[in-house]
Amino acid sequence: MLAAAAAGPAPGGAELLGGARFSVLSWEQVRRLDQILGEAVPIHGRGNFPTLSVRPRTIVQVVRSRLEKKGIAVHNVRLNGSAASHVLHQDSGLGYKDLDLIFGVDLKTEDIFQLVKDVVMDCLLDFLPEGVNKDKITPMTLKEAYVQKLVKVCNESDRWSLISLSNNSGKNVELKFVDSLRRQFEFSVDSFQIILDSLLLFGECSENPMAENFHPTVTGESMYGDFEEAMDHLRNRVIATRNPEEIRGGGLLKYCNLLVRGFKPKSEVDMKALQRYMCSRFFIDFSDIGEQQRKLECYLQSHFVGMESKRYDYLMTLHRVVNESTVCLMGHERRQTLNLIAMLAVRVLAEQNIIPTVTNVTCYYQPAPYVSEINFNYYVTHVQPFLPCNQSYPTWLPCN
């Protein structure tokens, strides 16, 4: 049955349910959610493949219908991550890029993993515009044309897969099919999931449009635990988490991103200890300097679309945190990572053509390892010092 929600939001924009981790969305939040699901999102094709313009609502409905026709029950569909945070509090400072959609399904065998992937590829085929000859287009071709990322995780604690659809502006539609996932958030402000089933059912069944006195009851959940506490963190731009050592990468990169966006730790003392856990887990997961560089470059590319001017501040914040809180590396490994971050920072400034002039500080800039030109020139430029002068090692090592 469809439920008509009572008029008026609860204080703070949410009405708590029996469990502290759940809350009913207000009318303004439901309207914002409906708008996000109804806006067409471009899925850009590579090569000669056309751009698909599809509403998230349509993607969810078509994928869900196809899965159920194949005998795969979908328990619920949720909006996750920064888009969910944006629905709950529009002025959070987080913004949102990716649309993370979670389908709750049972993934008991390898065959079901493959079937889920095939269903999504079939849906992409149907989304192709009229006039395209679909007869000779294979699932492999569609994957190469429209899929940005394809992930499958299958172990004792986690069983899930991810299909990320390409968008040139970084606003990817990410379809995640989850059987079990031990850790579903990094920080309290990105721990929200909004259950979409009632809103989707309303759109299919109701002949009347939504209104303040007539709209479905939509429920949100905070995977952090306490919904109101997490909402308070979101409103006041507070950084809080639990057990960062459980997060792949320790949440280090996201933590520095939050700092640059004006978020503040809930407790400075506790966060210093958590920073050490973050750094330790990051260097466990990305122990090789090449892996670290690839991870940082990918993060800069995907998380600062339209905010390129913030990349330098972000790298300097990361440099400071790694410098202050890394206790698990040998001296030369630590210096190697710090120099990598500083090198990326200078590259960012060079790309923006805003390298500052500071007297008496000289930096020897060496090209990245993948630059293959034999006659590549080295540049000497004046930059801000990256480390305090009392450090026992130089910020930059001279080129050999």
Side-chain angles (χ1 to χ4, degrees):
M1 294 291 292
L2 294 175
E15 175 191 344
L16 282 178
L17 296 178
R21 63 188 298 123
F22 293 94
S23 178
V24 173
L25 272 61
S26 69
W27 160 238
E28 288 298 325
Q29 292 166 337
V30 171
R31 189 166 62 176
R32 203 151 48 234
L33 173 63
D34 185 64
Q35 182 180 1
I36 287 177
L37 294 179
E39 289 179 349
V41 177
I43 302 171
H44 295 110
R46 299 182 182 90
N48 295 325
F49 277 83
T51 297
L52 311 179
S53 182
V54 191
R55 296 183 304 162
R57 181 194 306 274
T58 303
I59 295 174
V60 171
Q61 290 170 333
V62 172
V63 171
R64 181 175 197 159
S65 174
R66 294 288 177 83
L67 287 173
E68 291 175 343
K69 285 181 180 178
K70 295 290 185 179
I72 301 175
V74 178
H75 306 307
N76 55 52
V77 183
R78 299 177 175 223
L79 181 68
N80 182 51
S82 58
S85 298
H86 175 79
V87 167
L88 295 172
H89 186 58
Q90 191 171 12
D91 301 322
S92 66
L94 289 173
Y96 79 95
K97 302 188 321 334
D98 295 342
L99 281 172
D100 301 329
L101 298 165
I102 298 178
F103 294 77
V105 294
D106 295 323
L107 300 170
K108 301 305 182 186
T109 65
E110 287 292 323
D111 290 342
I112 297 180
F113 274 99
Q114 183 61 44
L115 185 56
V116 166
K117 176 184 167 185
D118 291 342
V119 163
V120 174
M121 295 303 111
D122 285 343
C123 293
L124 288 178
L125 188 65
D126 287 345
F127 291 149
L128 287 170
E130 294 183 7
V132 175
N133 186 356
K134 304 177 183 180
D135 295 338
K136 296 183 179 180
I137 299 178
T138 65
M140 180 62 69
T141 304
L142 287 169
K143 181 179 80 69
E144 294 298 324
Y146 291 109
V147 175
Q148 178 83 14
K149 185 167 52 177
L150 196 62
V151 179
K152 182 177 77 171
V153 176
C154 185
N155 55 43
E156 292 182 359
S157 59
D158 298 330
R159 297 182 69 87
W160 57 272
S161 66
L162 170 71
I163 301 175
S164 178
L165 305 179
S166 300
N167 180 280
N168 294 342
S169 63
K171 194 173 184 178
N172 296 341
V173 177
E174 302 206 332
L175 309 178
K176 184 178 283 188
F177 302 89
V178 177
D179 184 314
S180 59
L181 183 58
R182 182 179 59 175
R183 178 80 182 210
Q184 300 192 45
F185 72 99
E186 290 185 275
F187 296 90
S188 61
V189 294
D190 65 6
S191 69
F192 299 104
Q193 294 183 1
I194 299 174
I195 303 170
L196 303 179
D197 300 68
S198 61
L199 184 61
L200 296 172
L201 183 60
F202 185 95
E204 293 174 3
C205 299
S206 177
E207 297 179 356
N208 299 313
M210 287 197 306
E212 185 170 359
N213 295 317
F214 184 73
H215 63 270
T217 300
V218 180
T219 305
E221 180 179 5
S222 170
M223 312 312 291
Y224 177 74
D226 189 312
F227 192 97
E228 276 303 300
E229 182 182 358
M231 276 297 297
D232 185 65
H233 295 166
L234 187 63
R235 295 187 198 100
N236 297 298
R237 303 194 179 190
V238 173
I239 302 174
T241 190
R242 297 192 179 102
N243 306 323
E245 67 276 8
E246 295 177 355
I247 309 169
R248 176 165 173 77
L252 175 64
L253 302 186
K254 178 64 175 285
Y255 170 67
C256 294
N257 196 346
L258 291 174
L259 289 175
V260 169
R261 291 172 181 267
F263 286 70
K264 301 294 183 184
K266 181 179 180 181
S267 165
E268 292 285 351
V269 175
D270 292 344
M271 195 52 71
K272 291 295 182 183
L274 290 176
Q275 283 181 187
R276 289 194 289 271
Y277 284 113
M278 292 177 196
C279 290
S280 295
R281 178 62 196 260
F282 180 83
F283 291 115
I284 289 172
D285 292 332
F286 306 100
S287 56
D288 178 73
I289 191 68
E291 292 179 331
Q292 294 169 21
Q293 179 166 346
R294 286 188 293 273
K295 180 64 177 177
L296 286 174
E297 288 175 337
C298 288
Y299 194 88
L300 289 172
Q301 183 178 4
S302 61
H303 288 79
F304 290 88
V305 176
M307 297 180 58
E308 287 77 10
S309 61
K310 290 286 187 181
R311 291 183 298 171
Y312 177 78
D313 292 339
Y314 171 77
L315 287 165
M316 288 299 92
T317 301
L318 177 63
H319 192 286
R320 174 178 59 78
V321 172
V322 170
N323 184 40
E324 292 176 353
S325 302
T326 299
V327 296
C328 62
L329 297 181
M330 297 179 66
H332 73 280
E333 294 174 322
R334 183 167 170 271
R335 290 193 295 272
Q336 192 177 39
T337 299
L338 290 170
N339 286 337
L340 167 64
I341 299 170
M343 179 270 288
L344 292 173
V346 169
R347 184 200 296 175
V348 163
L349 291 180
E351 289 172 354
Q352 297 176 233
N353 198 28
I354 54 171
I355 296 181
T357 300
V358 180
T359 57
N360 301 324
V361 180
T362 301
C363 163
Y364 296 86
Y365 175 56
Q366 186 176 8
Y370 51 75
V371 176
S372 59
E373 289 85 350
I374 297 175
N375 296 321
F376 194 97
N377 294 321
Y378 292 96
Y379 293 93
V380 179
T381 185
H382 296 288
V383 298
Q384 288 180 305
F386 296 101
L387 298 177
C389 296
N390 60 2
Q391 294 293 328
S392 60
Y393 51 87
T395 302
W396 288 89
L397 300 180
C399 303
N400 293 326

Coordinates of all heavy atoms in Angstrom, one line a residue, residues 264-310:
K264 N 35.5 19.8 10.1 CA 36.4 19.8 11.3 C 36.3 18.5 12.0 O 35.1 17.9 12.2 CB 36.1 20.9 12.2 CG 36.2 22.3 11.5 CD 37.7 22.6 11.1 CE 37.8 24.0 10.5 NZ 39.1 24.3 10.0
P265 N 37.3 17.9 12.6 CA 37.2 16.7 13.4 C 36.4 16.9 14.6 O 36.3 18.0 15.2 CB 38.7 16.4 13.8 CG 39.5 17.1 12.8 CD 38.7 18.3 12.4
K266 N 35.6 15.8 15.0 CA 34.8 15.9 16.2 C 35.6 16.1 17.4 O 35.3 16.9 18.3 CB 34.0 14.6 16.3 CG 33.0 14.5 17.4 CD 32.3 13.2 17.5 CE 31.3 13.1 18.6 NZ 30.6 11.8 18.7
S267 N 36.8 15.5 17.4 CA 37.7 15.6 18.6 C 39.1 15.6 18.0 O 39.5 14.7 17.4 CB 37.6 14.5 19.6 OG 38.7 14.4 20.5
E268 N 39.8 16.7 18.2 CA 41.2 16.8 17.7 C 42.1 15.7 18.3 O 42.9 15.2 17.5 CB 41.8 18.2 18.0 CG 41.1 19.4 17.3 CD 41.5 19.5 15.9 OE1 42.4 18.7 15.5 OE2 40.9 20.3 15.1
V269 N 41.9 15.5 19.5 CA 42.8 14.5 20.2 C 42.5 13.1 19.6 O 43.5 12.3 19.2 CB 42.6 14.5 21.7 CG1 43.4 13.3 22.4 CG2 43.0 15.8 22.3
D270 N 41.2 12.7 19.5 CA 40.9 11.4 19.0 C 41.3 11.3 17.5 O 41.7 10.2 17.1 CB 39.4 11.1 19.2 CG 39.0 11.0 20.6 OD1 39.9 10.8 21.5 OD2 37.8 11.1 20.9
M271 N 41.1 12.4 16.8 CA 41.4 12.3 15.4 C 42.9 12.1 15.1 O 43.3 11.5 14.1 CB 40.9 13.6 14.7 CG 40.8 13.4 13.1 SD 39.9 12.0 12.6 CE 38.2 12.4 13.0
K272 N 43.7 12.6 16.0 CA 45.2 12.4 15.8 C 45.5 10.9 15.8 O 46.3 10.4 15.1 CB 46.0 13.2 16.9 CG 46.0 14.7 16.7 CD 46.6 15.1 15.5 CE 46.7 16.7 15.4 NZ 47.3 17.1 14.1
A273 N 44.8 10.2 16.8 CA 45.0 8.8 16.9 C 44.4 8.1 15.6 O 45.0 7.2 15.1 CB 44.4 8.3 18.1
L274 N 43.2 8.5 15.2 CA 42.6 7.9 14.0 C 43.5 8.2 12.8 O 43.5 7.3 11.9 CB 41.2 8.5 13.8 CG 40.2 8.1 14.9 CD1 38.8 8.8 14.6 CD2 40.0 6.6 14.9
Q275 N 44.1 9.3 12.7 CA 45.0 9.6 11.5 C 46.1 8.6 11.4 O 46.4 8.2 10.3 CB 45.6 11.0 11.6 CG 44.6 12.1 11.3 CD 45.3 13.5 11.4 OE1 44.6 14.5 11.3 NE2 46.6 13.6 11.6
R276 N 46.6 8.1 12.5 CA 47.7 7.1 12.5 C 47.1 5.8 11.9 O 47.8 5.1 11.2 CB 48.3 6.9 13.9 CG 49.1 8.1 14.3 CD 50.0 7.8 15.5 NE 49.2 7.7 16.7 CZ 48.9 8.7 17.5 NH1 49.2 9.9 17.2 NH2 48.1 8.5 18.6
Y277 N 45.9 5.5 12.3 CA 45.3 4.2 11.8 C 45.0 4.4 10.3 O 45.2 3.5 9.5 CB 44.0 4.0 12.5 CG 44.1 3.4 13.9 CD1 43.7 4.1 15.0 CD2 44.6 2.1 14.0 CE1 43.9 3.5 16.3 CE2 44.7 1.5 15.3 CZ 44.4 2.2 16.4 OH 44.5 1.7 17.7
M278 N 44.6 5.6 9.9 CA 44.3 5.8 8.5 C 45.6 5.7 7.6 O 45.6 5.0 6.6 CB 43.7 7.2 8.3 CG 42.3 7.5 8.8 SD 41.9 9.2 8.6 CE 40.5 9.3 9.7
C279 N 46.6 6.3 8.1 CA 47.9 6.2 7.3 C 48.4 4.8 7.3 O 48.9 4.3 6.3 CB 48.9 7.1 8.0 SG 48.6 8.9 7.7
S280 N 48.3 4.1 8.4 CA 48.8 2.7 8.5 C 48.0 1.8 7.5 O 48.6 1.1 6.7 CB 48.7 2.1 9.9 OG 49.5 2.8 10.8
R281 N 46.7 1.9 7.5 CA 45.9 1.1 6.6 C 46.2 1.5 5.1 O 46.2 0.6 4.2 CB 44.4 1.2 6.9 CG 43.5 0.4 6.0 CD 43.8 -1.1 6.0 NE 43.2 -1.8 4.9 CZ 42.0 -2.4 5.0 NH1 41.4 -2.5 6.1 NH2 41.6 -3.1 3.9
F282 N 46.4 2.8 4.9 CA 46.6 3.2 3.5 C 47.9 2.6 3.0 O 47.9 2.1 1.8 CB 46.7 4.8 3.4 CG 47.0 5.3 2.0 CD1 46.0 5.5 1.1 CD2 48.3 5.6 1.6 CE1 46.2 6.0 -0.1 CE2 48.6 6.1 0.3 CZ 47.5 6.2 -0.5
F283 N 48.9 2.6 3.8 CA 50.2 2.1 3.3 C 50.3 0.5 3.3 O 51.1 -0.1 2.6 CB 51.4 2.6 4.1 CG 51.6 4.1 3.9 CD1 51.4 5.0 4.9 CD2 52.0 4.5 2.6 CE1 51.6 6.4 4.6 CE2 52.1 5.9 2.4 CZ 51.9 6.8 3.4
I284 N 49.3 -0.1 4.0 CA 49.2 -1.6 3.9 C 48.5 -1.9 2.5 O 49.0 -2.8 1.8 CB 48.3 -2.1 5.0 CG1 49.1 -2.0 6.3 CG2 47.9 -3.5 4.7 CD1 48.3 -2.4 7.6
D285 N 47.5 -1.1 2.2 CA 46.8 -1.4 0.9 C 47.5 -0.9 -0.3 O 47.4 -1.5 -1.4 CB 45.4 -0.7 1.0 CG 44.5 -1.4 2.0 OD1 44.7 -2.6 2.3 OD2 43.6 -0.7 2.5
F286 N 48.3 0.2 -0.1 CA 49.1 0.7 -1.3 C 50.5 0.9 -0.9 O 51.0 2.0 -0.6 CB 48.5 2.1 -1.7 CG 47.0 2.0 -2.0 CD1 46.1 2.4 -1.0 CD2 46.5 1.6 -3.2 CE1 44.7 2.4 -1.3 CE2 45.2 1.5 -3.5 CZ 44.3 1.9 -2.5
S287 N 51.2 -0.2 -0.8 CA 52.6 -0.2 -0.3 C 53.6 0.2 -1.3 O 54.7 0.7 -0.9 CB 52.9 -1.7 0.2 OG 52.8 -2.6 -0.8
D288 N 53.3 0.0 -2.5 CA 54.3 0.4 -3.6 C 54.1 1.8 -4.0 O 53.0 2.3 -4.1 CB 54.1 -0.6 -4.8 CG 55.0 -0.3 -5.9 OD1 56.2 -0.6 -5.8 OD2 54.5 0.3 -6.9
I289 N 55.2 2.5 -4.3 CA 55.1 3.9 -4.6 C 54.4 4.1 -6.0 O 53.7 5.1 -6.2 CB 56.5 4.6 -4.7 CG1 56.5 6.1 -4.8 CG2 57.3 4.0 -5.9 CD1 55.9 6.8 -3.6
G290 N 54.5 3.2 -6.9 CA 53.7 3.2 -8.1 C 52.2 3.1 -7.9 O 51.4 3.9 -8.5
E291 N 51.8 2.2 -7.0 CA 50.4 2.1 -6.6 C 49.9 3.4 -6.0 O 48.8 3.9 -6.3 CB 50.2 0.9 -5.6 CG 50.4 -0.4 -6.2 CD 50.2 -1.5 -5.2 OE1 50.5 -1.2 -4.0 OE2 49.8 -2.6 -5.5
Q292 N 50.7 4.0 -5.1 CA 50.3 5.2 -4.5 C 50.1 6.3 -5.5 O 49.2 7.1 -5.4 CB 51.4 5.7 -3.5 CG 51.5 4.7 -2.3 CD 52.8 5.0 -1.5 OE1 53.3 6.1 -1.5 NE2 53.2 4.0 -0.7
Q293 N 51.0 6.4 -6.5 CA 50.9 7.5 -7.5 C 49.6 7.3 -8.3 O 48.9 8.2 -8.6 CB 52.1 7.5 -8.4 CG 52.0 8.5 -9.5 CD 53.3 8.8 -10.2 OE1 54.4 8.4 -9.7 NE2 53.3 9.5 -11.3
R294 N 49.4 6.0 -8.7 CA 48.2 5.8 -9.5 C 46.9 6.1 -8.8 O 46.0 6.7 -9.3 CB 48.2 4.3 -10.0 CG 49.1 4.0 -11.1 CD 49.0 2.6 -11.7 NE 49.3 1.6 -10.7 CZ 50.6 1.1 -10.6 NH1 51.5 1.6 -11.3 NH2 50.8 0.2 -9.7
K295 N 46.9 5.7 -7.5 CA 45.7 6.0 -6.6 C 45.5 7.5 -6.5 O 44.3 8.0 -6.6 CB 45.9 5.3 -5.3 CG 44.7 5.5 -4.3 CD 43.5 4.8 -4.8 CE 42.3 5.0 -3.8 NZ 41.1 4.4 -4.3
L296 N 46.5 8.2 -6.2 CA 46.4 9.7 -6.0 C 46.0 10.4 -7.3 O 45.1 11.2 -7.3 CB 47.7 10.3 -5.5 CG 48.1 10.0 -4.1 CD1 49.5 10.5 -3.7 CD2 47.1 10.6 -3.1
E297 N 46.5 10.0 -8.4 CA 46.2 10.6 -9.7 C 44.7 10.3 -10.0 O 44.0 11.2 -10.5 CB 47.1 10.1 -10.8 CG 48.5 10.7 -10.7 CD 49.5 10.1 -11.7 OE1 49.2 9.0 -12.2 OE2 50.5 10.7 -12.0
C298 N 44.3 9.1 -9.8 CA 42.9 8.7 -10.1 C 41.9 9.5 -9.2 O 40.9 10.0 -9.6 CB 42.6 7.2 -9.9 SG 43.4 6.2 -11.2
Y299 N 42.3 9.6 -7.9 CA 41.5 10.4 -6.9 C 41.4 11.8 -7.3 O 40.3 12.4 -7.3 CB 42.1 10.2 -5.5 CG 41.1 10.7 -4.4 CD1 40.2 9.8 -3.9 CD2 41.0 12.0 -4.0 CE1 39.3 10.1 -2.9 CE2 40.1 12.4 -3.0 CZ 39.3 11.4 -2.5 OH 38.4 11.8 -1.5
L300 N 42.5 12.4 -7.7 CA 42.4 13.9 -8.1 C 41.6 14.0 -9.4 O 40.8 15.0 -9.5 CB 43.9 14.3 -8.4 CG 44.8 14.5 -7.3 CD1 46.2 14.8 -7.7 CD2 44.3 15.6 -6.3
Q301 N 41.6 13.1 -10.3 CA 40.9 13.2 -11.5 C 39.4 13.0 -11.3 O 38.6 13.7 -11.9 CB 41.4 12.1 -12.5 CG 40.7 12.2 -13.9 CD 41.2 11.2 -14.9 OE1 42.1 10.4 -14.5 NE2 40.8 11.2 -16.1
S302 N 39.0 12.1 -10.4 CA 37.6 11.8 -10.3 C 36.9 12.6 -9.2 O 35.6 12.7 -9.2 CB 37.4 10.3 -9.9 OG 38.1 10.0 -8.7
H303 N 37.6 13.2 -8.2 CA 36.9 13.9 -7.1 C 37.0 15.4 -7.1 O 36.5 16.1 -6.2 CB 37.5 13.4 -5.8 CG 37.0 12.0 -5.4 ND1 37.6 10.9 -6.0 CD2 36.0 11.5 -4.6 CE1 37.0 9.8 -5.6 NE2 36.1 10.1 -4.7
F304 N 37.6 16.0 -8.2 CA 37.8 17.4 -8.2 C 37.3 18.0 -9.5 O 37.9 19.0 -10.0 CB 39.2 17.8 -7.9 CG 39.6 17.6 -6.5 CD1 40.1 16.3 -6.1 CD2 39.5 18.5 -5.5 CE1 40.5 16.1 -4.7 CE2 39.8 18.3 -4.2 CZ 40.3 17.1 -3.8
V305 N 36.4 17.3 -10.1 CA 35.8 17.8 -11.4 C 35.0 19.1 -11.1 O 34.2 19.2 -10.2 CB 34.8 16.8 -12.0 CG1 34.2 17.4 -13.3 CG2 35.6 15.5 -12.4
G306 N 35.4 20.2 -11.7 CA 34.8 21.5 -11.5 C 35.4 22.2 -10.2 O 35.0 23.3 -9.9
M307 N 36.3 21.5 -9.5 CA 37.0 22.1 -8.4 C 38.5 22.0 -8.5 O 39.2 21.7 -7.5 CB 36.5 21.4 -7.1 CG 35.0 21.5 -6.8 SD 34.6 20.7 -5.3 CE 35.6 21.4 -4.1
E308 N 39.0 22.2 -9.7 CA 40.4 21.9 -9.9 C 41.3 22.8 -9.1 O 42.4 22.5 -8.7 CB 40.8 22.2 -11.4 CG 40.3 21.1 -12.3 CD 38.8 21.1 -12.6 OE1 38.2 22.1 -12.3 OE2 38.3 20.2 -13.2
S309 N 40.8 24.0 -8.7 CA 41.6 24.9 -7.9 C 41.8 24.4 -6.5 O 42.7 24.9 -5.8 CB 40.9 26.3 -7.8 OG 39.6 26.2 -7.2
K310 N 41.1 23.4 -6.1 CA 41.2 22.9 -4.7 C 42.2 21.7 -4.7 O 42.6 21.3 -3.6 CB 39.9 22.3 -4.2 CG 38.8 23.4 -3.9 CD 39.1 24.1 -2.6 CE 37.9 25.0 -2.3 NZ 38.2 25.7 -1.0

